[in-house]
Amino acid sequence: MTEMSAADYERKLAARDKTIDVLKRRIAQEARHSHATPFAILEQNVGLEKVVARKTLELENERHELEKALTELRFTQAQLLQAQKMESIGQLAAGIAHEINTPTQYVSDNVGFVKTAAASLLSLLDSALALAEAARGKMAEEPIVAEFDAALKRVKVEFLRRQIPSALDESLEGLGHIAKIVSAMKEFSHPSQNEKALVDVREIINTTATVARNEWKYVAELETHFEDELPQLPCLRDMIGQAILNLVVNAAHAIADTIKEGIKEKGLIIISAARDGEHMEIRIKDDGSGIPARIRDRIFDPFFTTKAVGKGTGQGLAIVYSTVVDKHCGQIRCESEEGVGTTFILRLPLHCHKEECPACK
């Protein structure tokens, strides 16, 4: 069976709308040209009106089905484009991560060497100072002693003794943070090839939080709470990571809307994971602006967004829903209160039943 494009569905909808107009015109034409009695005309019109009513209902039902199919087709096309874009970004990120990782590694090694060498030199300096102090009494009049004391004063030995180890520790910490970001980029961009694998949810969450750090670090603190001895989750790793990323970014944006200088400087995002029977439950909670009650039933609809033009496509939550429900046979729900915050709850099955799972068919 040939798949229909968005344009095919739109043409089919237009054709269905024209059918009703044709039937109405036929009734009017029959009435104008008929020489039957008034009662016969009335009877004929009633019969035609019943046909029109039945056809109208059928056409309306078909129209709704076609509109639904058209929306699903557009969303599928958007998902495909998003997947292609993410694959390209993933390849680019993996390449950049590799390019950053190599120089970072040898800079880190060199700074580590300098730290060890500095400790040895400072130890040697202590010995030299002790020797100079012992020699000072016997060589007080020697010019070299005066030069040594002047040099000692210029270089501020006590200041360097305090600052050098601290500066090197900070450098190593910064390099370690770069290495962590690079590792997170490599992990996040690694494709799952549409095959489920057992993964550590804590690793996915920590990696995603690192990748999204630039989105939340200025507006919120981020905490992770994990239940002890979490089981591994069978899932498409990159898709679950993308879903959590979308929710964390949304949480950061919701909090940003509530930040007021002198009143609320930063918000809080909490990501938690715990086992709930035969499911893994992941929660992403924020203390942002909340979702208005009037639109909560529509937030997972494809292309629905409240953001300004250019700020959002309305695909983020729809993709999250598709990932959890369609790709993993899970459930997702939203708890929100305006002015208080929002919590998204993802429930993912711990045991994959291959005959039921779309990702395993």
Side-chain angles (χ1 to χ4, degrees):
M1 180 179 177
T2 304
E3 293 186 2
M4 295 179 67
S5 66
D8 292 331
Y9 276 117
E10 288 173 342
R11 284 194 294 272
K12 196 170 181 180
L13 281 172
R16 290 294 185 270
D17 289 340
K18 289 180 181 177
T19 303
I20 295 175
D21 293 334
V22 170
L23 287 170
K24 288 180 178 178
R25 284 197 300 271
R26 188 176 296 171
I27 291 173
Q29 188 177 12
E30 288 288 337
R32 284 195 302 270
H33 295 90
S34 176
H35 301 290
T37 63
F39 181 77
I41 293 173
L42 178 62
E43 190 177 49
Q44 184 182 50
N45 285 347
V46 168
L48 284 171
E49 284 176 2
K50 286 180 179 179
V51 171
V52 170
R54 186 175 71 253
K55 286 292 183 184
T56 300
L57 181 60
E58 290 175 359
L59 290 168
E60 280 301 311
N61 289 337
E62 282 190 36
R63 180 180 179 81
H64 288 313
E65 289 298 318
L66 285 169
E67 286 178 341
K68 181 180 177 183
L70 182 57
T71 300
E72 289 176 353
L73 178 60
R74 284 173 175 162
F75 180 58
T76 300
Q77 290 174 333
Q79 277 190 304
L80 179 59
L81 289 172
Q82 177 73 5
Q84 291 171 338
K85 182 172 72 173
M86 288 305 298
E87 183 178 358
S88 298
I89 291 173
Q91 291 172 351
L92 181 63
I96 293 172
H98 177 73
E99 290 298 316
I100 294 173
N101 193 55
T102 301
T104 299
Q105 186 61 53
Y106 63 68
V107 171
S108 182
D109 291 344
N110 289 341
V111 173
F113 167 75
V114 171
K115 180 181 178 182
T116 302
S120 299
L121 290 173
L122 288 173
S123 177
L124 179 61
L125 177 62
D126 290 337
S127 299
L129 290 173
L131 179 61
E133 186 64 30
R136 187 172 282 110
K138 298 177 181 180
M139 303 172 62
E141 301 302 324
E142 294 291 334
I144 194 171
V145 174
E147 291 175 10
F148 179 78
D149 287 341
L152 199 61
K153 188 175 182 180
R154 282 197 307 272
V155 299
K156 300 178 181 177
V157 171
E158 290 305 317
F159 174 79
L160 294 177
R161 192 195 304 278
R162 292 193 307 271
Q163 293 301 316
I164 288 175
S166 176
L168 291 170
D169 285 339
E170 287 181 2
S171 297
L172 286 171
E173 183 181 349
L175 289 165
H177 187 59
I178 292 173
K180 182 180 178 183
I181 293 172
V182 169
S183 176
M185 287 172 64
K186 289 171 71 176
E187 285 293 326
F188 193 82
S189 62
H190 182 67
S192 59
Q193 303 297 335
N194 208 33
E195 292 183 3
K196 286 188 176 181
L198 290 172
V199 300
D200 186 343
V201 168
R202 293 168 297 189
E203 181 189 333
I204 295 179
I205 291 172
N206 288 331
T207 297
T208 303
T210 299
V211 170
R213 188 170 185 272
N214 193 58
E215 292 286 343
W216 56 261
K217 69 177 181 179
Y218 299 109
V219 297
E221 301 294 337
L222 188 145
E223 296 179 2
T224 55
H225 299 164
F226 302 126
E227 186 181 74
D228 293 337
E229 298 181 1
L230 273 178
Q232 290 192 312
L233 176 70
C235 69
L236 301 170
R237 189 189 189 287
D238 53 350
M239 296 193 72
I240 293 297
Q242 181 66 42
I244 295 173
L245 178 68
N246 287 350
L247 294 174
V248 170
V249 170
N250 280 359
H253 291 176
I255 290 172
D257 292 338
T258 67
I259 298 299
K260 293 181 181 177
E261 190 174 350
I263 299 175
K264 182 179 179 180
E265 300 293 339
K266 271 194 171 185
L268 178 64
I269 299 172
I270 300 175
I271 310 176
S272 61
R275 179 170 187 161
D276 184 15
E278 292 302 303
H279 287 79
M280 176 78 71
E281 189 169 277
I282 301 171
R283 291 174 173 254
I284 296 91
K285 180 180 181 181
D286 69 69
D287 60 352
S289 54
I291 301 171
R294 68 181 184 279
I295 65 169
R296 281 178 208 154
D297 291 340
R298 301 178 60 198
I299 59 173
F300 295 116
D301 291 351
F303 310 111
F304 176 76
T305 180
T306 59
K307 295 180 181 178
V309 175
K311 296 293 185 181
T313 62
Q315 295 176 40
L317 288 177
I319 288 173
V320 172
Y321 183 91
S322 177
T323 295
V324 174
V325 177
D326 300 332
K327 299 292 192 300
H328 290 84
C329 302
Q331 300 127 30
I332 182 171
R333 72 178 192 275
C334 170
E335 297 174 354
S336 188
E337 184 177 347
E338 284 190 80
V340 177
T342 301
T343 302
F344 282 93
I345 300 101
L346 282 56
R347 284 174 53 82
L348 300 162
L350 288 169
H351 301 289
C352 178
H353 302 290
K354 294 199 173 186
E355 67 278 3
E356 299 174 10
C357 180
C360 294
K361 287 182 179 178

